């Protein structure tokens, strides 16, 4: 079993969904966890309370990762509270589905790229500067970056930047024994646009027939399983890699 006792983990966008599941998993393995949110303070506080009720330790930090001063404050507060940073998961992001490429406006572009590209890039950059040697960096991407979907051109394009940056950081941080990897989840029930009950039900009905293992759709816990692998000892010599979490489906 993975032992993260004494480690400090920062998970951006961890008020709910995939980020919440990863934060709770790391806490259950002994890590001190920073729960980050941009606007959803209620769910961030709930996540932290549930971590602490289960015997873990959590600290909540509001920070909008599209803002570089906010990113700096996120890590500065983590260092002040816990003294170090050992694990960082760049998970925060925005989703837009069903938008044809011809309909994308400059405002649409700026809104998504400010978080999914700029925010993820500078979160990873700042993390690389403060991470302890032997630390772990994980970027949460999307299968839309490797499988083309109509109506997801802007979203998938915005997620490509971090995926490429991960490969570069893996080379640049190798001498410090820091691993840098990407997880590409498919659509995940209870996360992103599929957290809405109506959208989740439609997703469950349509996606379960696409060749998934056990005929089911993915859950945030499936992604947390992959994150646990990357932060554990078994992945100590795995870096610059991309792990697709899609239940065996190829699209």
């Amino acid at each position: 079993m993975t032992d993260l006792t004494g480690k400090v983990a920062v998970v951006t966008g961890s008020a709910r969904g995939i980020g919440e599941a990863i934060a709770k998993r790391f806490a259950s393995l002994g890590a001190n966890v920073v729960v980050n949110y941009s606007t959803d303070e209620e769910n961030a506080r709930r996540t932290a309370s549930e971590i602490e009720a289960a015997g873990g330790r959590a600290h909540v930090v509001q920070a909008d990762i599209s803002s570089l001063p906010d990113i700096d404050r996120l890590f500065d507060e983590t260092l002040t509270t816990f003294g170090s940073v050992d694990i960082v998961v760049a998970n925060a992001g925005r989703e837009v589905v069903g938008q044809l490429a011809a309909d994308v406006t400059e405002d649409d572009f700026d809104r998504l790229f400010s978080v999914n590209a700029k925010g993820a890039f500078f979160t990873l950059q700042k993390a690389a500067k403060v991470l302890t040697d032997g630390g772990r960096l994980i970027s949460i991407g999307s299968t839309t970056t490797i499988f083309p979907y109509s109506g997801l051109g802007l979203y998938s394009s915005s997620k490509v930047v971090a995926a490429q940056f991960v490969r570069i950081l893996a080379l640049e941080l190798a001498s410090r024994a820091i691993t840098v990897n990407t997880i590409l989840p498919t659509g995940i029930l209870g996360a992103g646009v599929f957290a809405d009950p109506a959208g989740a039900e439609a997703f469950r009905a349509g996606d379960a027939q696409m060749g998934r293992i056990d005929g089911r759709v993915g859950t945030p816990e499936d992604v947390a399983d992959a994150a646990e692998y990357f932060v554990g000892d078994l992945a100590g010599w795995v870096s610059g890699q991309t792990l697709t979490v899609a239940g065996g489906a190829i699209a």
Side-chain angles (χ1 to χ4, degrees):
M1 183 176 178
T2 306
D3 184 5
L4 299 182
T5 302
K7 301 292 186 182
V8 177
V10 176
V11 184
T12 66
S14 46
R16 62 188 183 108
I18 289 171
E20 175 189 356
I22 293 173
K24 287 180 175 178
R25 178 67 60 84
F26 289 173
S28 74
L29 299 171
N32 300 316
V33 178
V34 170
V35 176
N36 160 251
Y37 73 98
S38 176
T39 59
D40 192 359
E41 181 176 6
E42 180 180 356
N43 277 318
R45 298 288 178 190
R46 175 190 53 78
T47 297
S49 294
E50 290 176 1
I51 286 173
E52 292 174 343
R57 188 177 176 197
H59 181 70
V60 177
V61 179
Q62 187 282 329
D64 177 353
I65 68 161
S66 68
S67 163
L68 269 63
D70 275 22
I71 293 174
D72 287 340
R73 180 168 50 76
L74 169 64
F75 285 101
D76 289 345
E77 190 165 336
T78 299
L79 290 169
T80 298
T81 302
F82 292 124
S84 65
V85 181
D86 305 290
I87 299 165
V88 175
V89 181
N91 167 73
R94 289 176 177 160
E95 285 184 276
V96 172
V97 301
Q99 183 182 44
L100 296 179
D103 297 329
V104 174
T105 67
E106 183 179 8
D107 285 344
D108 294 332
F109 183 96
D110 289 344
R111 189 176 302 110
L112 248 68
F113 270 72
S114 69
V115 174
N116 296 350
K118 173 188 170 183
F121 183 97
F122 284 105
T123 296
L124 293 167
Q125 182 200 66
K126 180 68 174 184
K129 293 178 180 180
V130 303
L131 208 66
T132 57
D133 290 355
R136 299 286 192 266
L137 276 178
I138 300 173
S139 174
I140 305 298
S142 167
T143 55
T144 63
T145 59
I146 55 175
F147 304 132
Y149 292 90
S150 176
L152 288 171
L154 177 61
Y155 173 70
S156 60
S157 298
S158 72
K159 299 293 280 187
V160 169
V161 172
Q164 179 63 12
F165 192 40
V166 161
R167 300 184 184 101
I168 303 301
L169 279 179
L171 297 175
E172 295 180 351
L173 299 178
S175 63
R176 294 174 54 197
I178 293 173
T179 67
V180 194
N181 294 288
T182 298
I183 298 173
L184 300 183
T186 186
I188 297 295
L189 195 65
V193 295
F194 304 115
D196 173 78
E201 189 55 39
F203 175 56
R204 189 197 302 271
D207 198 60
Q209 307 303 316
M210 293 181 64
R212 310 291 188 212
I213 294 172
D214 295 332
R216 68 173 179 83
V217 296
T219 68
E221 287 69 31
D222 292 320
V223 187
D225 289 342
E228 179 179 344
Y229 166 68
F230 276 136
V231 300
D233 292 340
L234 292 177
W237 215 56
V238 177
S239 194
Q241 302 305 304
T242 299
L243 178 57
T244 302
V245 179
I250 61 171

